[in-house]
Amino acid sequence: MVFLSPVLGVSVVSPETEQIFQNMTPEERVGQLFMPAISSGSSNGTQEMTPELEEMLSQVHPGGVILFARDISSVEQLVTLTDNLQNAGSLLESGEEVPLFISIDQEGGQITRLPFGPRMPGNMALGASRSAETTREVARTIGDEISSLGINMNFAPVLDVETNQNNPVIGIRSFGADPELVSTLGDAYITGMHDAGIICSGKHFPGHGDVDIDSHLGLPLENHTKARMNEVELVPFKSAIGSGVDAIMTAHIIFPAYDNSTNILEDGTEAKTPATLSKPILTGLLRDELSFDGLIITDAMMMKAIVDNFKTGDAAVRAIRAGADIILFPDPAIEAYTAVLTSYKSDPEIRTRVDDSVKRILAMKEKYGIIDLSRSGNTSDLNNDSRIAYAQKICLGEEAFMVEQEEADKTVTLVSDKNNLIPLSGENLRSIIIFSPTTSFTNETSEAVNETLQRQGYSPEIFSFTYQNQVNLSTDQKIAVTNASLIILGTSSSNATQRTDNYFIPLFSRDLLDFARDYDLPVIGLSLNQPYDIMYMQDIPVYFATYAGRTGGQNVRSAVRAIFGEIPITGTLPVDISEENGTIIYPMNSGIIE
């Protein structure tokens, strides 16, 4: 077993696991630091063991793998895949077994990799609930689901503080703009994951919440002072460390306050040092100053913030030298692995760093029973058919869907209700017109309205339109609107550009509102993604924030139930909503409680 120091939480492997380490070849030690995807980022996914996947496992000897949505199709397929991965990737040359970390980004809400089962509320929705209990229950349910599928590590929770509504990548993945709220709910999420026996990784250190460049597409720069970082960005990470977070994922962001160094690359060009490759940040700040002794995991190394500035192998060596324990998704993995193995054999500093990381990785695997699966407390002792049946019960059973509904109901936020229309009765509604920017949102909203009113004994006509890439009402839409009793307008922005007049959603929304005003028709706005859309339509009579994400799930159904009075409205904004000039129009904690 693993013993944890009561002072610093330093992991110490048992004598048995120390012997496993001693028996490892250099190739196997280096491999433990790699967590490749099982399919290339440019592929359509790998949903079963293939010769190419088996070859990668034998060449890289990875300590873990990461799964993406493209690799998953069903409960049965995924249970079989994770079992096959462990069988193919665990055996060492010594005859001992060191099973894999099998990881996933199953945050809930916007980032949900599983194509089946409930779609749990995401972080900003949980932030609107203000409930640590709700957050812990959601995290535990997610943890139970992925554990039943053979996954033992989740890259969650997001601990970034969303202080910039123009952030193009975090948005509703954050719990909110208040560092204390993010800390409280982040700690609750960690506890829920631990309740389910899942290794969790907070991200993206030292903070991704106030950038205006997506690190998937470029290399962001964050110019905050150390004082500001200590007051905002670092607060949730400090709290998570105190709550026993197992791992912390790095951010591909430049933080000059901690590291303003410049790298001369092989071609003679210069590149600033992102946190992922920064020893002052990973070792100096995270290890030494914040006393974190869990796993440091890089964000995906195939993101443009890295590959546009550093070669794959060079970046992996730099990350390990900086203090990273696990290199996530280098592509191609064999190039990064070969570079680190070469350095391991020739560079004493890299050899020491790799060996330290391997021991930390083995300690984590021992702590969670991964090395000895018979002690893991999951379903690994069952045959494959039994494991599939168990996973189907956990992922597709009534209990998980009940948790989804009950917790999503607590997140609905009524931001504005100018004429006190809410709750709305269906008694006098002849026809309802629903507009939404995507077919999936249109169908979900229409189904939710129909089901809710049917339960209440009302049967108005419901007409729905998808207005994707449309900037004005069509003639047919105008005719439908003039005959409507109620209009529901769904909007869905995910970045600042999508809230300007250069994008179809604001243009169509304004046209609809102006037309509806001429006929004195009530319009209810549903923000289906980020809550900021009201900035371009402040005159809308009613506006709800659902924090749903790319597809709505229970969040949309809960908002519809709130419109028609089936559930109380208790959510409040976990962020400020500002105009383009920065003037706050709806401050954090706003919300009409019904």
Side-chain angles (χ1 to χ4, degrees):
M1 64 183 298
V2 170
F3 300 92
L4 299 179
S5 161
V7 179
L8 296 179
V10 177
S11 300
V12 180
V13 296
S14 67
E16 293 82 4
T17 304
E18 173 66 27
Q19 190 60 51
I20 291 176
F21 169 78
Q22 294 297 335
N23 291 340
M24 280 180 159
T25 67
E27 290 76 11
E28 290 167 342
R29 291 186 187 182
V30 170
Q32 282 295 305
L33 275 66
F34 283 87
M35 188 175 284
I38 67 169
S39 55
S40 168
S42 60
S43 75
N44 293 322
T46 299
Q47 298 189 359
E48 59 185 15
M49 293 298 297
T50 62
E52 294 78 13
L53 177 53
E54 290 182 353
E55 182 181 14
M56 185 276 288
L57 293 174
S58 66
Q59 287 181 330
V60 178
H61 315 281
V65 295
I66 181 171
L67 305 176
F68 291 94
R70 62 179 178 263
D71 305 314
I72 303 169
S73 60
S74 68
V75 170
E76 181 177 8
Q77 171 266 328
L78 184 52
V79 169
T80 302
L81 175 62
T82 57
D83 186 55
N84 288 339
L85 283 167
Q86 293 292 17
N87 289 336
S90 299
L91 189 64
L92 302 180
E93 189 176 295
S94 64
E96 297 163 305
E97 289 190 1
V98 178
L100 303 168
F101 289 132
I102 298 183
S103 68
I104 196 168
D105 295 284
Q106 188 72 3
E107 299 171 11
Q110 177 90 345
I111 305 299
T112 302
R113 307 299 192 200
L114 301 181
F116 47 77
R119 186 181 183 85
M120 291 294 169
N123 282 2
M124 193 170 286
L126 296 171
S129 79
R130 294 300 195 284
S131 172
E133 180 182 0
T134 291
T135 303
R136 179 174 180 174
E137 181 66 6
V138 165
R140 181 200 61 79
T141 305
I142 292 173
D144 285 343
E145 290 172 331
I146 61 177
S147 177
S148 74
L149 295 163
I151 296 165
N152 50 40
M153 177 183 284
N154 192 14
F155 292 131
V158 170
L159 297 174
D160 303 312
V161 183
E162 170 82 349
T163 56
N164 181 356
Q165 73 180 41
N166 295 331
N167 192 318
V169 65
I170 300 301
I172 59 173
R173 297 170 64 194
S174 168
F175 290 112
D178 177 6
E180 295 303 327
L181 175 66
V182 176
S183 297
T184 298
L185 300 191
D187 292 348
Y189 197 106
I190 292 164
T191 301
M193 279 290 138
H194 288 168
D195 290 342
I198 292 293
I199 301 166
C200 61
S201 177
K203 58 189 183 184
H204 307 82
F205 185 84
H208 212 310
D210 191 22
V211 298
D212 53 14
I213 295 175
D214 183 348
S215 54
H216 292 83
L217 306 176
L219 181 56
L221 169 69
E222 182 50 77
N223 257 325
H224 287 314
T225 65
K226 288 185 179 180
R228 148 73 190 229
M229 295 288 290
N230 273 299
E231 292 173 357
V232 181
E233 280 77 12
L234 294 180
V235 172
F237 290 100
K238 293 175 183 177
S239 188
I241 291 169
S243 294
V245 70
D246 306 292
I248 289 178
M249 180 181 287
T250 67
H252 299 326
I253 300 175
I254 301 165
F255 292 88
Y258 294 97
D259 188 348
N260 200 27
S261 63
T262 298
N263 304 277
I264 306 299
L265 306 183
E266 290 183 8
D267 60 2
T269 59
E270 296 183 354
K272 291 288 187 179
T273 307
T276 295
L277 310 183
S278 169
K279 189 169 185 177
I281 293 175
L282 300 193
T283 299
L285 176 58
L286 184 53
R287 284 275 185 240
D288 298 341
E289 185 175 332
L290 301 185
S291 301
F292 177 63
D293 195 43
L295 299 176
I296 297 178
I297 301 175
T298 72
D299 204 345
M301 296 293 276
M302 41 64 67
M303 291 161 60
K304 285 185 175 293
I306 297 296
V307 299
D308 283 356
N309 298 284
F310 301 89
K311 291 186 176 180
T312 299
D314 180 46
V317 173
R318 287 174 183 268
I320 291 169
R321 196 182 303 277
D325 298 304
I326 293 177
I327 306 299
L328 179 66
F329 195 1
D331 196 16
I334 188 63
E335 180 180 333
Y337 169 78
T338 300
V340 175
L341 180 61
T342 299
S343 294
Y344 182 87
K345 292 179 177 180
S346 62
D347 185 336
E349 181 186 359
I350 291 297
R351 188 179 308 120
T352 298
R353 276 289 308 110
V354 168
D355 287 351
D356 286 346
S357 291
V358 173
K359 290 184 179 182
R360 193 174 281 114
I361 289 165
L362 295 178
M364 191 67 70
K365 289 184 175 182
E366 186 176 15
K367 176 180 178 181
Y368 279 86
I370 295 170
I371 285 180
D372 183 357
L373 287 175
S374 68
R375 296 191 287 110
S376 65
N378 62 21
T379 58
S380 59
D381 56 331
L382 303 176
N383 62 39
N384 198 55
D385 288 343
S386 298
R387 290 183 62 221
I388 290 169
Y390 177 76
Q392 287 173 332
K393 176 183 176 182
I394 296 298
C395 297
L396 306 179
E398 182 179 346
E399 181 178 345
F401 285 99
M402 286 182 61
V403 171
E404 181 195 29
Q405 176 181 316
E406 291 172 359
E407 308 309 345
D409 285 350
K410 301 170 186 176
T411 71
V412 179
T413 306
L414 178 55
V415 178
S416 178
D417 183 8
K418 297 186 183 301
N419 301 313
N420 297 315
L421 290 176
I422 305 299
L424 193 66
S425 171
E427 183 175 1
N428 297 316
L429 297 179
R430 302 181 315 278
S431 69
I432 299 173
I433 311 298
I434 296 170
F435 290 96
S436 185
T438 68
T439 300
S440 59
F441 275 136
T442 302
N443 293 340
E444 280 196 335
T445 308
S446 300
E447 290 170 5
V449 170
N450 182 59
E451 291 170 1
T452 300
L453 291 177
Q454 289 284 345
R455 282 195 301 270
Q456 296 179 1
Y458 305 118
S459 301
E461 289 187 293
I462 299 174
F463 301 94
S464 59
F465 298 95
T466 298
Y467 63 93
Q468 192 166 45
N469 297 321
Q470 185 179 338
V471 298
N472 298 107
L473 287 162
S474 67
T475 300
D476 289 345
Q477 290 168 345
K478 288 180 179 179
I479 293 171
V481 168
T482 58
N483 294 315
S485 306
L486 174 68
I487 301 163
I488 296 177
L489 169 63
T491 63
S492 178
S493 71
S494 59
N495 58 56
T497 300
Q498 294 179 359
R499 294 188 285 271
T500 68
D501 286 345
N502 295 320
Y503 198 64
F504 76 94
I505 294 177
L507 291 170
F508 182 88
S509 301
R510 288 292 342 146
D511 191 57
L512 172 60
L513 284 172
D514 292 344
F515 188 83
R517 187 185 303 108
D518 292 340
Y519 291 88
D520 196 28
L521 297 174
V523 180
I524 295 176
L526 288 184
S527 167
L528 300 168
N529 194 331
Q530 298 187 6
Y532 310 114
D533 292 347
I534 196 172
M535 64 179 283
Y536 57 75
M537 50 180 184
Q538 296 177 44
D539 56 336
I540 194 167
V542 180
Y543 181 83
F544 281 90
T546 72
Y547 321 97
R550 293 190 183 95
T551 58
Q554 183 59 44
N555 291 54
V556 172
R557 294 191 291 272
S558 294
V560 170
R561 296 178 69 204
I563 290 172
F564 296 107
E566 277 199 350
I567 59 171
I569 300 171
T570 58
T572 56
L573 285 172
V575 292
D576 296 326
I577 298 178
S578 302
E579 295 179 322
E580 280 191 78
N581 64 9
T583 301
I584 296 174
I585 51 177
Y586 290 96
M588 186 166 33
N589 302 317
S590 296
I592 301 168
I593 306 300
E594 296 281 357

